[in-house]
Amino acid sequence: MSEQTRPWLPTQPAMVIGGQRYRIDLGDIAMATAMLAFLWWHLYVTLSASTRLHNVMLIVPATCFFAILWMLIVGAAVAREEPNGKAPDLVARAPIGARIIGLMALLGVFIAAIPIAGLDLGGAIFTIACLLLLGERNLISMVLYSIGLGAFLGYVLRHGLSSQIPLIFF
Amino acid sequence: MFDFSAIAAGFELLTSSWEPWLVVIPGLIIGLVGGALPGISGTMTMALCLPFTLYMDFLPAMLFLTSVFSGGGFGGAVPAILVNLPGTTSSVSTAFDGFPMARQGKHNEALGLGLSASCFADAFGYVLLFLLINAAASAVLALGPIELFVVALWGLTMIAALRSGSMAKGLASGAFGLLLGTIGIGPTGVMRSTLGVGSMVEGVPEIAAMMGLLATGSLFLLARSSFIVEDVDKRQVSINRAFWGAVDVFRYPGTLIRGSFIGVIIGIIPGVGSSVANLIAYGLTKQSARDPDSFGAGNPHGVVASESANSSSESGAMATLLALGIPGGGGTAVLLAAFAMHNITGGPRFISDHKEIVYAIIFSNFAQALLMLPIGLVFIWAASAIVRVRLSYLIPSVLMLSVAGTYLMSDGMAGPITLLAFSVLGFLFIRFDYSAPAAVVGLLLGSMVEGELVRSYQITGGELSRVLDRPIALVMIAALVASLVMRPFLAWVRSRRQTTA
């Protein structure tokens, strides 16, 4: 059964309040709460640095405004369950999928490796890895494209823009 | 109102020799390419070209840089429409409807629409500048920090409140972005939430964050598809359809004129410029539309409003630069640097002492706007071939280009790291129905909003009643409140109608 056709999602557990069953979108609440937590931390750091009015003039009211919006968002993430087990006011999201998580991970590794592998060599390896992840299987075109892209970018960055970006071959 | 001898002298400066014009077409092409490359941007292209203008006379140097400026203004729309990656902050709202149009196979039409809206608005702006250069110089002096604070907040609430989906999440996204924009050194010189990272002193790297939130976040979602346009029949590159898309702009005259006018007005305000102009024009167009829910799903009005406003804001920014010597944004700051390189000081004295050059710059920009139409058509024909490229090749290429671009912009790893963090955040924003554009606008305006708020407080001494003495600010506050309450009010009216029916 796909996520779209399920009456509820694993992130939407049920809760009984006053004899009525409610579904809770935990993912939605977690996202809003993470944002609020970050902003509270920012407010705390700002107040710790200086409590002068000029320093907090925007941050305090904007954070309080966000906190009010957080309550509205959390309120909307709790929806009454109908007798058929569905909570139509909540959004059923498709699973993220391995490709997307893999792509994020590859981007992270590529960026972390720039100081060591350079943008040319690191970029070529990153391109091959992405092509493989995204379903390409023609080895020759994958290798040629990756090397070509890395070489082109390396040449332009070093000789066209005279940048100090880390490169291995240029 | 007009100094006819200066107008004639300006015209003669441009027509007495063909040499100054030699730099215009290369300038337009360089601007288009630079604007279209994510992370490079028209402003950066202008900055890269600046050293070469040292070897030119003042007028050719101005013609060259303003043609790069004009080309860059539209260039940013190309990746915004084709891959949802605004090349510049001024193309943010172009992506809202341009990319959905591209996904529907209407990329040729969207690019044509954007190009002709850009050219028309550019020409319109310079005609208006020609007519109003003297009046604009004095009007801009009437705007103080209160007006600048309100106009920036207005731009933000407009985009946050008028999106489809949860209004609370739209406003929360805007507030979140606004607060992210306050990271770094504050108005009192205090460091805030920099985590001890040196590159955070000046705040979150804006371009990298913008690219992550708007572009790479949605690129991750594209990993599920094989092509930007899934339907093979719609995956055609056609200069003919782009041309008819360009002609189609005249089917939206109200949107075109309104966007152009808003662009000029917002462009005049220093420090605001095209980044806000395109959002306000988009928001107002959506607000006044009969079918606001179709915005964000490929409504051509959205592309026309955004592109006309960001292009005409160039002429508004030029008005402030020429009249006051104040750059309205990055592009005009480079022009001001070019002034200095040629030992010329911008401002009221420049206008009175070199009126013929001012008119020559205005006439040449008008001509550039007309020239850009055929050059831009050929450019978009070449650029739109991207819809035929498999996403498995396109995604790593764009990611790699974005990483390189953000590294260049931040001159270090701060850019790529910011890109990664905000890419994940951008993906989560899409997944949980938050508004990435509102967060971007908040981020871009955060430090400006805070600075103007502090200055407003200093000027008024904390007395709110002093705002009542400023009619322009009151009108802007009314517009801000209207943009906040309009949607709940319309929803209430609709529900009442349904109840009574």
Side-chain angles (χ1 to χ4, degrees), chain B residues 129 132 136-137 139-140 143 262-271 273 313 315-321 324 326 328:
Chain B
L129 179 58
L132 302 174
V140 78
L143 297 179
I262 290 169
V264 174
I265 301 297
I266 302 286
I268 286 172
I269 303 169
S313 69
S315 57
M318 285 292 280
T320 317
L321 178 73
L324 299 174
I326 300 172

Side-chain angles (χ1 to χ4, degrees), chain B residues 261-340:
Chain B
F261 200 74
I262 290 169
V264 174
I265 301 297
I266 302 286
I268 286 172
I269 303 169
V272 181
S274 56
S275 307
V276 177
N278 73 107
L279 294 161
I280 289 186
Y282 182 87
L284 282 175
T285 305
K286 182 176 176 180
Q287 195 173 34
S288 58
R290 285 182 199 156
D291 52 347
D293 289 342
S294 67
F295 281 73
N299 190 323
H301 283 277
V303 177
V304 173
S306 173
E307 278 306 300
S308 56
N310 71 22
S311 296
S312 62
S313 69
E314 181 195 314
S315 57
M318 285 292 280
T320 317
L321 178 73
L322 296 171
L324 299 174
I326 300 172
T332 40
V334 175
L335 287 175
L336 192 66
F339 274 42

